[in-house]
Amino acid sequence: MENIGFGVIGTGIWGEAHAKIFASHPHSQLMAVCDLEADKARQVAENYGASSWYTDYEELLARSDIQAVGIATPDFAHRDAFIAACKAGKHILLEKPLATSHEDLAAMRKAYEESGVRVMVDFHARWNPPLYIAWQNIREGSLGKLISMYYRLNDILYVPTKMLSWAAKSSILWFLGSHTIDTLRFFAGNEVKRVYSVSRSEVLEKKGIHVPDIYQSILEFEDGVIATIENNWIIPDTNPHWNDIKLNILGERGMINMDLTGNQAFERYLPDKSDHPDILVMPTIHGKPMGFAHESIRDFIDRLHNGKEFLVGFEDGYRVSKVVLAIMDSARNRMPVEVEY
Ligand SMILES: NC(=O)c1ccc[n+]([C@@H]2O[C@H](COP(=O)([O-])OP(=O)(O)OC[C@H]3O[C@@H](n4cnc5c(N)ncnc54)[C@H](O)[C@@H]3O)[C@@H](O)[C@H]2O)c1
């Protein structure tokens, strides 16, 4: 494939990351961006050299010099832009989660299957070096048969209360739980068949954000592996990093432990503060956007260009959303739920 013309739909925090990589990769050119808010679209177009910006994605999708789009609208608003991009024949990098309802999933699957476009879902944890190395150890058999996994992936309170204007229309399960589930599917190499979850609503409820603070869930995989996952949106803002991350992977012969909370490998002490600057997710090194969150977007361009299969496709996103919906169902009814794909 020749150099590819790209567009971005939704130029908030993450759409800007798409624009940055589309604008800097040797095989891509950022042609246009779109956001409902004109100022955001104009600013991102100016910052990353796109010649046009729009507030209606149909105008962007109508351009013949755009072959692929990044879609980074809020969690609950992926369906319409995705279906429109499929109909316009554009390849798609869709932000996670793929969709947040059974109805959206069905409509998106239909549009995807009818379109022939290529779709990657941006579960960028698969490019996170410690998680990738854990996966490699599991695949090579150094831990023996996988027995169980524990994964705690939480956000500080700032995220649902100040960063995301649409937190009440999503949940920690969509925002981070979807990453948790995708990573555990990646490790296990098979699908979740049954879930059992409990949730609790205290802190966010009192702030008028009507979604649970926390879900604690048990997942059973087809091959018998069991996983315990915890996802909460109420970690104190004084946590050294936005996320609070701990993992344990237990095999019959070995075990891996990870504490990825807060870039603890790099501590900075200044006269007025101490902190842990980002060294892993999206640092800029010698002027180049690096880190696993940028690497997944770069990989989308590479694979679109060289024709190789995407590492995380439509089906992965679809299955993860089905597991999240089953967990929510289980937490509501305090009953185990079989996942129906
Ligand atoms: N890969 C990751 O780990 C990762 C990290 C952060 C966010 N995300 C995902 O990226 C998506 C966006 O998150 P964000 O933090 O950038 O949110 P955001 O609120 O900062 O940005 C969303 C933007 O979409 C725009 N928008 C909404 N509807 C639109 C429409 N119909 N047409 C054009 N623009 C529209 C909004 O105006 C807003 O500017 C979410 O799905 C989120 O879960 C993924």
PDB file of all heavy atoms in Angstrom, residues 108-119:
ATOM      1  N   MET A 108     -22.805  -2.953  14.909  1.00  0.00           N
ATOM      2  CA  MET A 108     -21.429  -2.731  14.435  1.00  0.00           C
ATOM      3  C   MET A 108     -20.882  -3.973  13.736  1.00  0.00           C
ATOM      4  O   MET A 108     -20.185  -3.874  12.731  1.00  0.00           O
ATOM      5  CB  MET A 108     -20.537  -2.312  15.612  1.00  0.00           C
ATOM      6  CG  MET A 108     -20.874  -0.905  16.099  1.00  0.00           C
ATOM      7  SD  MET A 108     -20.216  -0.518  17.720  1.00  0.00           S
ATOM      8  CE  MET A 108     -18.522  -0.083  17.335  1.00  0.00           C
ATOM      9  N   ARG A 109     -21.238  -5.146  14.263  1.00  0.00           N
ATOM     10  CA  ARG A 109     -20.775  -6.383  13.606  1.00  0.00           C
ATOM     11  C   ARG A 109     -21.339  -6.464  12.185  1.00  0.00           C
ATOM     12  O   ARG A 109     -20.621  -6.808  11.243  1.00  0.00           O
ATOM     13  CB  ARG A 109     -21.192  -7.593  14.441  1.00  0.00           C
ATOM     14  CG  ARG A 109     -21.161  -8.879  13.643  1.00  0.00           C
ATOM     15  CD  ARG A 109     -21.127 -10.106  14.477  1.00  0.00           C
ATOM     16  NE  ARG A 109     -19.737 -10.464  14.756  1.00  0.00           N
ATOM     17  CZ  ARG A 109     -19.371 -11.367  15.631  1.00  0.00           C
ATOM     18  NH1 ARG A 109     -20.264 -11.975  16.348  1.00  0.00           N
ATOM     19  NH2 ARG A 109     -18.101 -11.659  15.796  1.00  0.00           N
ATOM     20  N   LYS A 110     -22.621  -6.136  12.046  1.00  0.00           N
ATOM     21  CA  LYS A 110     -23.276  -6.203  10.724  1.00  0.00           C
ATOM     22  C   LYS A 110     -22.553  -5.254   9.755  1.00  0.00           C
ATOM     23  O   LYS A 110     -22.178  -5.643   8.646  1.00  0.00           O
ATOM     24  CB  LYS A 110     -24.752  -5.816  10.883  1.00  0.00           C
ATOM     25  CG  LYS A 110     -25.572  -5.935   9.630  1.00  0.00           C
ATOM     26  CD  LYS A 110     -27.065  -5.819   9.977  1.00  0.00           C
ATOM     27  CE  LYS A 110     -27.948  -5.908   8.749  1.00  0.00           C
ATOM     28  NZ  LYS A 110     -27.815  -4.785   7.842  1.00  0.00           N
ATOM     29  N   ALA A 111     -22.341  -4.022  10.204  1.00  0.00           N
ATOM     30  CA  ALA A 111     -21.701  -3.026   9.325  1.00  0.00           C
ATOM     31  C   ALA A 111     -20.279  -3.469   8.972  1.00  0.00           C
ATOM     32  O   ALA A 111     -19.850  -3.345   7.813  1.00  0.00           O
ATOM     33  CB  ALA A 111     -21.668  -1.667  10.021  1.00  0.00           C
ATOM     34  N   TYR A 112     -19.554  -3.990   9.942  1.00  0.00           N
ATOM     35  CA  TYR A 112     -18.170  -4.439   9.718  1.00  0.00           C
ATOM     36  C   TYR A 112     -18.144  -5.586   8.699  1.00  0.00           C
ATOM     37  O   TYR A 112     -17.370  -5.565   7.735  1.00  0.00           O
ATOM     38  CB  TYR A 112     -17.568  -4.867  11.063  1.00  0.00           C
ATOM     39  CG  TYR A 112     -16.302  -5.665  10.966  1.00  0.00           C
ATOM     40  CD1 TYR A 112     -15.152  -5.121  10.403  1.00  0.00           C
ATOM     41  CD2 TYR A 112     -16.258  -6.975  11.437  1.00  0.00           C
ATOM     42  CE1 TYR A 112     -13.984  -5.868  10.314  1.00  0.00           C
ATOM     43  CE2 TYR A 112     -15.091  -7.719  11.360  1.00  0.00           C
ATOM     44  CZ  TYR A 112     -13.958  -7.168  10.789  1.00  0.00           C
ATOM     45  OH  TYR A 112     -12.813  -7.913  10.699  1.00  0.00           O
ATOM     46  N   GLU A 113     -19.006  -6.580   8.921  1.00  0.00           N
ATOM     47  CA  GLU A 113     -18.984  -7.756   8.037  1.00  0.00           C
ATOM     48  C   GLU A 113     -19.406  -7.404   6.612  1.00  0.00           C
ATOM     49  O   GLU A 113     -18.913  -7.988   5.656  1.00  0.00           O
ATOM     50  CB  GLU A 113     -19.864  -8.874   8.626  1.00  0.00           C
ATOM     51  CG  GLU A 113     -19.159  -9.544   9.817  1.00  0.00           C
ATOM     52  CD  GLU A 113     -20.004 -10.571  10.541  1.00  0.00           C
ATOM     53  OE1 GLU A 113     -21.203 -10.684  10.222  1.00  0.00           O
ATOM     54  OE2 GLU A 113     -19.446 -11.251  11.439  1.00  0.00           O
ATOM     55  N   GLU A 114     -20.295  -6.438   6.468  1.00  0.00           N
ATOM     56  CA  GLU A 114     -20.747  -6.057   5.122  1.00  0.00           C
ATOM     57  C   GLU A 114     -19.742  -5.166   4.386  1.00  0.00           C
ATOM     58  O   GLU A 114     -19.802  -5.027   3.175  1.00  0.00           O
ATOM     59  CB  GLU A 114     -22.091  -5.310   5.220  1.00  0.00           C
ATOM     60  CG  GLU A 114     -23.251  -6.242   5.516  1.00  0.00           C
ATOM     61  CD  GLU A 114     -24.560  -5.506   5.823  1.00  0.00           C
ATOM     62  OE1 GLU A 114     -24.570  -4.251   5.780  1.00  0.00           O
ATOM     63  OE2 GLU A 114     -25.543  -6.189   6.103  1.00  0.00           O
ATOM     64  N   SER A 115     -18.813  -4.566   5.156  1.00  0.00           N
ATOM     65  CA  SER A 115     -17.993  -3.507   4.556  1.00  0.00           C
ATOM     66  C   SER A 115     -16.687  -3.969   3.897  1.00  0.00           C
ATOM     67  O   SER A 115     -16.227  -3.378   2.937  1.00  0.00           O
ATOM     68  CB  SER A 115     -17.600  -2.501   5.635  1.00  0.00           C
ATOM     69  OG  SER A 115     -16.693  -3.116   6.539  1.00  0.00           O
ATOM     70  N   GLY A 116     -16.063  -4.998   4.467  1.00  0.00           N
ATOM     71  CA  GLY A 116     -14.741  -5.411   3.974  1.00  0.00           C
ATOM     72  C   GLY A 116     -13.610  -4.518   4.447  1.00  0.00           C
ATOM     73  O   GLY A 116     -12.467  -4.668   4.003  1.00  0.00           O
ATOM     74  N   VAL A 117     -13.855  -3.593   5.357  1.00  0.00           N
ATOM     75  CA  VAL A 117     -12.762  -2.750   5.858  1.00  0.00           C
ATOM     76  C   VAL A 117     -11.982  -3.519   6.928  1.00  0.00           C
ATOM     77  O   VAL A 117     -12.465  -4.515   7.471  1.00  0.00           O
ATOM     78  CB  VAL A 117     -13.255  -1.392   6.435  1.00  0.00           C
ATOM     79  CG1 VAL A 117     -14.032  -0.615   5.395  1.00  0.00           C
ATOM     80  CG2 VAL A 117     -14.064  -1.575   7.712  1.00  0.00           C
ATOM     81  N   ARG A 118     -10.774  -3.038   7.223  1.00  0.00           N
ATOM     82  CA  ARG A 118      -9.963  -3.660   8.276  1.00  0.00           C
ATOM     83  C   ARG A 118     -10.125  -2.849   9.563  1.00  0.00           C
ATOM     84  O   ARG A 118     -10.123  -1.626   9.531  1.00  0.00           O
ATOM     85  CB  ARG A 118      -8.491  -3.686   7.853  1.00  0.00           C
ATOM     86  CG  ARG A 118      -8.274  -4.480   6.560  1.00  0.00           C
ATOM     87  CD  ARG A 118      -6.793  -4.591   6.243  1.00  0.00           C
ATOM     88  NE  ARG A 118      -6.084  -5.288   7.307  1.00  0.00           N
ATOM     89  CZ  ARG A 118      -4.763  -5.266   7.470  1.00  0.00           C
ATOM     90  NH1 ARG A 118      -4.011  -4.578   6.636  1.00  0.00           N
ATOM     91  NH2 ARG A 118      -4.198  -5.922   8.459  1.00  0.00           N
ATOM     92  N   VAL A 119     -10.253  -3.575  10.700  1.00  0.00           N
ATOM     93  CA  VAL A 119     -10.503  -2.899  11.981  1.00  0.00           C
ATOM     94  C   VAL A 119      -9.520  -3.390  13.042  1.00  0.00           C
ATOM     95  O   VAL A 119      -9.330  -4.590  13.210  1.00  0.00           O
ATOM     96  CB  VAL A 119     -11.952  -3.171  12.469  1.00  0.00           C
ATOM     97  CG1 VAL A 119     -12.155  -2.634  13.893  1.00  0.00           C
ATOM     98  CG2 VAL A 119     -12.972  -2.543  11.517  1.00  0.00           C
TER      99      VAL A 119
END
